[in-house]
C-alpha cells in the first residue's frame, strides 16, 4: 500500500496528465481533458482520508490543466478570455464532487457502525433475558434440594438417638440431592459460558475416543443400575469442538436416558462416521417421548407431562444451545429398543497421516 | 509412622472435611489456610504430599508449586474449581502431579493421594528399571517388548515411546504439550496427531477402548496412566 496520501495524489495527477497528453495527441478536445482530471480527483477522494488533500486538489487540477493544456502551453497565462470561466467552473465541480464523495463515504461508515451497535444491543438483550430466566429458576427450583440437604443435616446434628438405618436413609437422600445440584449448577454454568463466549467457543480438535472415555468415566456414578454400552468405530475419528461442552451434552443425554430407562435396562452411546460427519447418539429402552411433549421438549424449563422425576427442564435446552454454538442440532427419533434416541452430528476432521 | 499430608485450603468447611477424611484414613494432617503458613509448614515438616488450593487469600498457589519444585519432587495434588482449565494446565506444567476439580468425592480424593504417593515412591527408586510394570501391562524397555496379560503387543516406535513415558509416570497427569515434547520434540506445535496415536494405542492395549484400564483421558488437558 502507498503510505502517504500525497504520493497517491501525485501518482493520480501524473497519470491523469499522461492520459490527457495521449487524448490530446489523438485530437480529443480540451474540454474533455477536464473530465479526466475530475475523475482523478474523485478517485483520490474515495481512496484517501486526508482533508488536506481534498482542499488542495482543486487548485492543483486547475493549475495542471492551465499549465499543460491551454494555449500558450507550459505557462500559467491564458490567451482566450473564456478560460477564467472554464477554470472557475472546473474549480467548483472539483470541490463539489470531492465533498459529495466524502459525505457519501462518511454515511457508509456511519451505517456500518449503526448496524454493529444494533446487533450488540440485540445480543445483550438476549443474554440478559436468559440470565433473568435462569435466576428465576434458581430461586424457584433450587430451594427444594437445598432444603432437603440442610434439613437432613440439621436433623442428623440435633437428634443424637437416630438409628443407624434412619441416619443412612436421611443422609443418602441428602447426598443424592447434592449430586443433583452439582449437575444442575454445571449446566447453568455451561449456559452462561456459551452466552459469554458465543463467538469464541473454546474449540479444539479432539478424538471421539477421548470424549467417550471421559463421558463414561464421569458418568459412572450417575448411571444407577442401568448398563451403559458404547459403540465406537475401529477407525479413529476426530471432531472440532469445545471438548468440555460436548462431554456436557452427552452427560445430559445419558442422564435423561437413565431417568427414563427401565430398572436395570440398557443405554447405548454410539458414535459412527457418516460421509463427512460424525454421528453421536444416545438411546434408551424407556417409553420414549410422548406426543404431547414432542413439540416442546427442547424448550428451556419445559419439564414434560406426567414426569414425576425432578428436573428443571434445563438439560435438553442446554444441549440444544451448546450444539447450536457448534453449528449442529439435536434430533429425536425412536431407539432400537422402541425408547428415546437423541442424535447430533459434528463435522468430521480428516485425521493426520499415521507416522 | 503415618504419612504427613499438608493441606493448603482457605475454605473452612472444605478444610475440615479434608482434615477429618484424611485423619480417618491414617494420615497425619498439617493444616494451613494461607500460602505463607503453607510454605513454613512445608519447609519445617517436609510432608509426603501436598493438597493445594490454587486460589488463596495471600497469593497464587502456582507460586507454591514453583517454590517446592526448586527443592524436591514432593507430590502436589491441586484442588481447583471447574472451568479453570488454563490454571490446571499451568499447575501441571509447573510440576503438580494431579488435580481434583471441585466438587469431588472423598473416594476420588483418597484414590488420587494413594496413586500420587505410589508414583513418588517409584520415582525415588533411582535405579532405572529396564522393565516397567503397571497392573498387567509389562514394558521391557531394552528389548522394546510390550505385553498385556502375557500377550505380546506390536507397537510402532512412537506408540512405544508414548506408552513408556506414560507408564514411567503412572498416576501423574501428563499435559498434551509435555507428551508432544517428549515424543516429537520441543518445536512440534500440532497436538492433533497425539490424539490419534493415543486412540490407536488404546485399541491395541485396552480390552474396551471406551472404558480403558490403562490410559485415561483428562479432557482438554492431557492423559494419565492409571495404576489402580
Amino acid at each position: 500500500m502507498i503510505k502517504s496520501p500525497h504520493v497517491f495524489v501525485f501518482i493520480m495527477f501524473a497519470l491523469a496528465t499522461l492520459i490527457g497528453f495521449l487524448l490530446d495527441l489523438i485530437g480529443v478536445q480540451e474540454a474533455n481533458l477536464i473530465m479526466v482530471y475530475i475523475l482523478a480527483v474523485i478517485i483520490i477522494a474515495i481512496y484517501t482520508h486526508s482533508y488536506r488533500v481534498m482542499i488542495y486538489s482543486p487548485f492543483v487540477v486547475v493549475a495542471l490543466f492551465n499549465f499543460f493544456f491551454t494555449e500558450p502551453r507550459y505557462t500559467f497565462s491564458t490567451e482566450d478570455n473564456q478560460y477564467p470561466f472554464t477554470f472557475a467552473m472546473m474549480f467548483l465541480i472539483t470541490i463539489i464532487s470531492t465533498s459529495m464523495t466524502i459525505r457519501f463515504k462518511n454515511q457508509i461508515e456511519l451505517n456500518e457502525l449503526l448496524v454493529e451497535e444494533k446487533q450488540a444491543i440485540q445480543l445483550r438483550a438476549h443474554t440478559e433475558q436468559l440470565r433473568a430466566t435462569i435466576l428465576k429458576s434458581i430461586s424457584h427450583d433450587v430451594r427444594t434440594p437445598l432444603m432437603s440437604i440442610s434439613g437432613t443435616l440439621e436433623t442428623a446434628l440435633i437428634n443424637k438417638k437416630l438409628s443407624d438405618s434412619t441416619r443412612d436413609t436421611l443422609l443418602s437422600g441428602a447426598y443424592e440431592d447434592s449430586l443433583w445440584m452439582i449437575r444442575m449448577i454445571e449446566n447453568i454454568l455451561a449456559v452462561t459460558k456459551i452466552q459469554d463466549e458465543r463467538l469464541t467457543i473454546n474449540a479444539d480438535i479432539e478424538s471421539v475416543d477421548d470424549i467417550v472415555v471421559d463421558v463414561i468415566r464421569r458418568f459412572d456414578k450417575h448411571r444407577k443400575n442401568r448398563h451403559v454400552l458404547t459403540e465406537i468405530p475401529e477407525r479413529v475419528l476426530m471432531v472440532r469442538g469445545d471438548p468440555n461442552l460436548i462431554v456436557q451434552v452427552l452427560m445430559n443425554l445419558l442422564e435423561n436416558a437413565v431417568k427414563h430407562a427401565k430398572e436395570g435396562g440398557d443405554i447405548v452411546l454410539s458414535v459412527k462416521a457418516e460421509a463427512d460427519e460424525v454421528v453421536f447418539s444416545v438411546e434408551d429402552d424407556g417409553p420414549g417421548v410422548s406426543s404431547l411433549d414432542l413439540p416442546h421438549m427442547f424448550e428451556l424449563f419445559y419439564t414434560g407431562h406426567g414426569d414425576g422425576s425432578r428436573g428443571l427442564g434445563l438439560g435438553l435446552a442446554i444441549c440444544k444451545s451448546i450444539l447450536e454454538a457448534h453449528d449442529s442440532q439435536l434430533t429425536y427419533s425412536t431407539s432400537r429398543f422402541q425408547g428415546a434416541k437423541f442424535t447430533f452430528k459434528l463435522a468430521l476432521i480428516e485425521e493426520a497421516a499415521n507416522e | 509412622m503415618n504419612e504427613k499430608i499438608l493441606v493448603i485450603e482457605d475454605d473452612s468447611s472444605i478444610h475440615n472435611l479434608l482434615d477429618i477424611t484424611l485423619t480417618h484414613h491414617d494420615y497425619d494432617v498439617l493444616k494451613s489456610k494461607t500460602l505463607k503458613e503453607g510454605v513454613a509448614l512445608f519447609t519445617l515438616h517436609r510432608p509426603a504430599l501436598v493438597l493445594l488450593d490454587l486460589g488463596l487469600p495471600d497469593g497464587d498457589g502456582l507460586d507454591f508449586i514453583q517454590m517446592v519444585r526448586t527443592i524436591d519432587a514432593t507430590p502436589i495434588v491441586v484442588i481447583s474449581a471447574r472451568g479453570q482449565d488454563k490454571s490446571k494446565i499451568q499447575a501441571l506444567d509447573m510440576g503438580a502431579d494431579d488435580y481434583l476439580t471441585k466438587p469431588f468425592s472423598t473416594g476420588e480424593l483418597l484414590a488420587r493421594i494413594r496413586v500420587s504417593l505410589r508414583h513418588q515412591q517409584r520415582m525415588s527408586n533411582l535405579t532405572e528399571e529396564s522393565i516397567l510394570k503397571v497392573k498387567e501391562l509389562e514394558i521391557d524397555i531394552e528389548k522394546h517388548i510390550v505385553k498385556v496379560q502375557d500377550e505380546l503387543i506390536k507397537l510402532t516406535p512412537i506408540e512405544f515411546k508414548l506408552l513408556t513415558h506414560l507408564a514411567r509416570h503412572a498416576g501423574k497427569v501428563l499435559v498434551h504439550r509435555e507428551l508432544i515434547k517428549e515424543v516429537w520434540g520441543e518445536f512440534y506445535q500440532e497436538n492433533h496427531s497425539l490424539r490419534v496415536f493415543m486412540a490407536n494405542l488404546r485399541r491395541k492395549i485396552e480390552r474396551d477402548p471406551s472404558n480403558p484400564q490403562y490410559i485415561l483421558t483428562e479432557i482438554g488437558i492431557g492423559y494419565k496412566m492409571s495404576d489402580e
Side-chain angles (χ1 to χ4, degrees):
Chain A
M1 270 313 285
I2 302 158
K3 284 208 182 76
S4 160
H6 305 295
V7 176
F8 182 66
V9 171
F10 181 81
I11 292 172
M12 285 313 293
F13 282 141
L15 211 63
T17 310
L18 195 72
I19 294 170
F21 270 116
L22 291 174
L23 293 177
D24 191 42
L25 270 182
I26 57 169
V28 175
Q29 282 193 345
E30 56 195 28
N32 292 327
L33 301 184
I34 295 172
M35 297 303 165
V36 177
Y37 278 110
I38 291 175
L39 188 66
V41 171
I42 292 177
I43 292 173
I44 289 167
I46 291 173
Y47 289 103
T48 62
H49 294 268
S50 158
Y51 279 94
R52 217 183 299 163
V53 169
M54 314 291 176
I55 290 163
Y56 72 64
S57 294
F59 293 100
V60 177
V61 166
V62 173
L64 283 172
F65 181 70
N66 183 2
F67 190 78
F68 287 111
F69 299 106
T70 60
E71 298 295 338
R73 296 214 171 183
Y74 313 118
T75 65
F76 287 111
S77 57
T78 51
E79 286 173 351
D80 197 325
N81 54 7
Q82 289 275 309
Y83 277 130
F85 178 71
T86 312
F87 292 158
M89 285 307 286
M90 194 174 167
F91 190 73
L92 274 176
I93 291 172
T94 325
I95 287 180
I96 291 169
S97 49
T98 312
S99 60
M100 292 279 278
T101 313
I102 293 171
R103 264 177 62 184
F104 186 58
K105 236 165 63 178
N106 287 345
Q107 194 65 47
I108 290 175
E109 275 166 21
L110 196 67
N111 277 347
E112 279 168 4
L113 270 176
L114 282 176
V115 169
E116 269 170 35
E117 206 167 302
K118 208 170 143 192
Q119 280 171 344
I121 289 170
Q122 270 173 351
L123 191 70
R124 258 204 311 274
H126 186 71
T127 312
E128 280 311 309
Q129 197 194 355
L130 204 93
R131 290 241 167 84
T133 334
I134 286 172
L135 213 65
K136 214 165 69 190
S137 82
I138 292 174
S139 52
H140 178 252
D141 293 280
V142 172
R143 282 204 183 117
T144 324
L146 260 184
M147 253 302 298
S148 133
I149 294 167
S150 69
T152 303
L153 295 179
E154 193 188 7
T155 311
L157 266 179
I158 294 172
N159 296 322
K160 307 291 178 203
K161 286 179 209 142
L162 285 179
S163 70
D164 279 355
S165 69
T166 317
R167 188 175 291 266
D168 278 357
T169 320
L170 271 175
L171 289 178
S172 60
Y175 178 62
E176 286 272 318
D177 278 327
S178 70
L179 285 184
W180 182 83
M181 280 197 60
I182 288 169
R183 294 275 312 121
M184 192 206 56
I185 283 165
E186 254 163 49
N187 269 334
I188 290 172
L189 288 178
V191 176
T192 44
K193 192 179 170 204
I194 307 169
Q195 291 299 312
D196 285 345
E197 301 172 15
R198 182 170 283 273
L199 301 168
T200 52
I201 279 266
N202 201 358
D204 205 344
I205 293 177
E206 290 290 342
S207 71
V208 162
D209 293 60
D210 284 338
I211 292 170
V212 171
V213 165
D214 198 65
V215 168
I216 294 301
R217 190 167 53 121
R218 278 199 224 180
F219 194 69
D220 198 51
K221 64 178 167 196
H222 300 281
R223 68 181 180 83
K224 298 183 179 157
N225 62 355
R226 275 49 154 191
H227 306 286
V228 181
L229 312 169
T230 50
E231 292 171 355
I232 55 171
E234 230 353 84
R235 185 172 146 221
V236 180
L237 304 175
M238 307 291 284
V239 291
R240 184 190 300 280
D242 183 317
N244 284 306
L245 292 179
I246 295 170
V247 165
Q248 180 115 23
V249 170
L250 290 169
M251 292 279 285
N252 282 344
L253 293 179
L254 285 172
E255 197 170 33
N256 243 357
V258 163
K259 214 156 43 175
H260 298 112
K262 294 187 185 111
E263 285 291 320
D266 290 332
I267 294 165
V268 181
L269 163 61
S270 70
V271 186
K272 57 178 189 269
E274 240 171 46
D276 55 352
E277 286 179 313
V278 179
V279 185
F280 292 79
S281 54
V282 173
E283 299 175 67
D284 66 45
D285 59 359
V289 175
S290 86
S291 54
L292 273 176
D293 296 331
L294 266 179
H296 306 290
M297 65 178 165
F298 297 131
E299 287 168 15
L300 202 55
F301 308 121
Y302 184 79
T303 47
H305 285 80
D307 180 357
S309 56
R310 182 160 63 213
L312 278 191
L314 267 177
L316 286 179
I318 280 164
C319 292
K320 190 173 152 238
S321 48
I322 290 177
L323 291 170
E324 273 167 6
H326 285 84
D327 295 320
S328 176
Q329 55 187 15
L330 194 59
T331 54
Y332 172 80
S333 56
T334 304
S335 78
R336 63 184 86 171
F337 315 110
Q338 304 307 310
K341 176 180 183 177
F342 289 94
T343 305
F344 65 91
K345 298 173 181 178
L346 294 173
L348 172 65
I349 305 288
E350 278 313 311
E351 66 210 68
N354 283 1
E355 283 181 64
Chain B
M1 204 183 81
N2 291 345
E3 281 170 304
K4 285 182 196 155
I5 294 184
L6 170 59
V7 176
I8 311 179
E9 158 73 70
D10 62 320
D11 183 273
S12 301
S13 317
I14 299 205
H15 198 103
N16 286 339
L17 180 64
L18 292 175
D19 185 11
I20 291 168
T21 312
L22 294 175
T23 311
H24 185 72
H25 285 87
D26 298 327
Y27 294 108
D28 276 346
V29 183
L30 304 162
K31 293 169 282 185
S32 160
K33 289 192 175 179
T34 61
L35 199 65
K36 228 169 108 190
E37 199 190 344
V39 171
L41 284 173
F42 179 84
T43 35
L44 192 65
H45 295 277
R46 287 314 191 75
L49 182 140
V50 183
L51 277 178
L52 173 71
D53 184 29
L54 283 184
L56 292 162
D58 62 334
D60 194 336
L62 293 177
D63 295 337
F64 181 85
I65 302 175
Q66 209 161 32
M67 192 281 295
V68 170
R69 283 297 168 260
T70 59
I71 303 173
D72 66 10
T74 306
I76 300 173
V77 177
V78 164
I79 301 170
S80 76
R82 171 155 306 305
Q84 298 179 322
D85 278 4
K86 268 205 196 102
S87 54
K88 267 182 238 162
I89 293 174
Q90 232 177 332
L92 293 167
D93 236 6
M94 289 172 97
D97 290 71
D98 203 345
Y99 67 90
L100 281 160
T101 305
K102 281 180 200 167
F104 49 84
S105 72
T106 46
E108 228 171 300
L109 167 78
L110 291 166
R112 303 287 169 109
I113 290 176
R114 275 198 306 273
V115 169
S116 289
L117 286 173
R118 223 177 13 240
H119 175 231
Q120 171 60 14
Q121 256 161 22
R122 210 171 20 238
M123 294 308 278
S124 58
N125 292 340
L126 273 174
T127 47
E128 183 72 27
E129 306 150 30
S130 67
I131 292 181
L132 290 171
K133 269 189 190 164
V134 179
K135 288 183 276 192
E136 292 180 291
L137 170 73
E138 218 182 282
I139 307 174
D140 188 326
I141 295 171
E142 276 161 25
K143 292 183 189 150
H144 264 252
I145 290 173
V146 174
K147 283 181 191 170
V148 175
Q149 286 184 309
D150 288 326
E151 198 184 316
L152 209 66
I153 310 275
K154 268 188 82 174
L155 297 182
T156 66
I158 288 186
E159 285 167 352
F160 185 81
K161 237 170 153 177
L162 277 173
L163 188 66
T164 317
H165 193 64
L166 281 165
R168 199 169 268 146
H169 297 278
K172 186 178 189 312
V173 175
L174 301 172
V175 298
H176 292 137
R177 214 186 57 184
E178 188 190 338
L179 283 165
I180 291 168
K181 199 170 92 182
E182 178 67 25
V183 177
W184 285 282
E186 185 86 57
F187 301 106
Y188 195 80
Q189 287 297 321
E190 188 242 347
N191 58 15
H192 172 162
S193 5
L194 176 67
R195 319 284 215 270
V196 179
F197 277 106
M198 283 299 183
N200 282 324
L201 192 51
R202 269 203 194 111
R203 281 169 171 64
K204 290 184 182 178
I205 66 166
E206 302 283 359
R207 213 172 322 137
D208 177 4
S210 55
N211 192 8
Q213 305 306 305
Y214 297 101
I215 304 174
L216 305 183
T217 298
E218 303 291 333
I219 201 107
I221 292 175
Y223 295 92
K224 178 168 82 173
M225 173 72 75
S226 150
D227 62 353
E228 287 241 307

